[in-house]
């Protein structure tokens, strides 16, 4: 039995999983988007057959992952789901890993590398069609910073973001930004000698040159080489 798209608890008033699933189903079944209002607390309690406390606890859990947004004094709305909880969890695991075997640091690096190498065909095809004008100025800024002995984290991320924006897949950029930011938090504390700014600039210049060949295999090989400096620091 459903009431307004929400199934009754039928005795499972304290079942947090039930409440969370019911609210998610309500959003999906109604096709609600970020910013759309949800029923008020009294209506949710009545439709779900749950008490105020378990409902509020479930709503807090959904808010924590961005599925809903609670605007005090105004109501509850569908949220803009972000990857913040994933980023927070990865950052914590990587910090723990720094005191141990570095396995989680290596895992994050491997996942990021798998995504970037795996997208070689798509990236090469897009840039063959649209040109390389967005990348050359970024690499030039990298080289200027490197010539002064400076690292260039802003340009580094700008380069990788520019690689994937033409694909039109926002999730790729969101995931890579999570991996990039969490890794940046531990980068300076990794063991082994850190690669130089000149090394980093050269890797990106090589990536751009490989991209202009129009050969996905050449580009994928260059992308793998781009990660070698970090793999070496991890003792791989």
């Amino acid at each position: 039995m459903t009431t307004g798209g929400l199934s009754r608890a039928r005795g499972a008033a304290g079942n947090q999983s039930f409440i969370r699933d019911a609210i998610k189903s309500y959003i999906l079944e109604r096709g609600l988007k970020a910013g759309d209002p949800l029923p008020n607390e009294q209506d949710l309690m009545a439709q779900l057959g749950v008490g105020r406390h378990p409902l509020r606890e479930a709503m807090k859990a959904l808010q924590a992952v961005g599925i809903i947004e609670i605007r005090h004094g105004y109501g509850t709305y569908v949220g803009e789901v972000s990857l913040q909880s994933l980023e927070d969890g990865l950052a914590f695991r990587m910090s723990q890993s720094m005191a141990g075997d570095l396995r989680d640091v290596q895992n994050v690096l491997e996942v990021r590398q798998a995504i970037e190498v795996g997208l070689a065909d798509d990236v090469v095809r897009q840039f063959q069609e649209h040109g390389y004008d967005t990348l050359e100025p970024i690499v030039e800024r990298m080289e200027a910073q490197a010539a002064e002995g400076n690292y260039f984290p802003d340009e580094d991320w700008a380069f990788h973001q520019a690689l994937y924006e033409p694909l039109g897949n926002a999730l790729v950029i969101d995931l890579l930004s999570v991996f990039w930011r969490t890794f940046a938090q531990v980068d300076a504390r990794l063991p082994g000698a850190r690669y130089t700014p000149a090394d980093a600039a050269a890797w990106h210049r090589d990536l751009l040159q490989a991209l202009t060949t129009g050969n996905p295999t050449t580009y994928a090989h260059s992308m793998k080489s781009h990660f070698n400096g970090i793999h070496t620091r991890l003792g791989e």
Side-chain angles (χ1 to χ4, degrees), residues 13 32 42 58 70 82 97 99 102 123-125 140 162 189 194 196-197 199-201 222 236:
L32 301 182
Q42 291 298 326
I70 300 173
S82 72
S97 186
L102 301 177
V123 170
V124 169
R125 182 174 61 255
E140 289 177 355
R189 295 183 283 138
R194 191 179 187 186
T196 67
D199 290 333
S222 180
E236 297 178 40

Side-chain angles (χ1 to χ4, degrees), residues 160-222:
H160 289 270
Q161 186 175 11
L163 282 176
Y164 305 111
E165 281 181 338
L167 303 184
N169 188 332
L171 184 57
V172 167
I173 295 176
D174 287 346
L175 281 172
L176 289 176
S177 70
V178 167
F179 297 142
W180 191 90
R181 286 194 298 269
T182 54
F183 201 89
Q185 293 180 33
V186 301
D187 187 22
R189 295 183 283 138
L190 291 176
R194 191 179 187 186
Y195 51 82
T196 67
D199 290 333
W203 291 331
H204 290 86
R205 171 59 69 182
D206 183 63
L207 269 173
L208 178 54
Q209 290 175 342
L211 186 59
T212 60
T213 67
N215 186 323
T217 301
T218 300
Y219 173 75
H221 178 76
S222 180

Side-chain angles (χ1 to χ4, degrees), residues 74-97:
Y74 294 94
T76 303
Y77 300 81
V78 179
E80 295 186 14
V81 180
S82 72
L83 299 180
Q84 188 60 54
S85 58
L86 172 63
E87 182 171 341
D88 292 343
L90 280 178
F92 183 75
R93 289 182 61 171
M94 289 176 71
S95 293
Q96 285 184 312
S97 186

Side-chain angles (χ1 to χ4, degrees), residues 57-129:
E57 290 302 307
M59 297 298 268
K60 287 179 184 177
L62 292 174
Q63 184 180 35
V65 294
I67 292 176
I68 68 166
E69 178 186 359
I70 300 173
R71 303 176 191 173
H72 295 289
Y74 294 94
T76 303
Y77 300 81
V78 179
E80 295 186 14
V81 180
S82 72
L83 299 180
Q84 188 60 54
S85 58
L86 172 63
E87 182 171 341
D88 292 343
L90 280 178
F92 183 75
R93 289 182 61 171
M94 289 176 71
S95 293
Q96 285 184 312
S97 186
M98 289 295 295
D101 60 5
L102 301 177
R103 186 64 251 173
D104 281 329
V105 178
Q106 293 169 330
N107 289 343
V108 169
L109 183 63
E110 288 172 6
V111 172
R112 179 186 162 189
Q113 179 175 323
I115 293 173
E116 298 210 57
V117 173
L119 289 171
D121 287 349
D122 294 334
V123 170
V124 169
R125 182 174 61 255
Q126 285 292 330
F127 277 90
Q128 279 186 300
E129 294 176 3

Side-chain angles (χ1 to χ4, degrees), residues 2-16:
T2 61
T3 305
L6 292 171
S7 299
R8 283 190 176 275
R10 296 182 180 179
N15 189 327
Q16 293 291 301

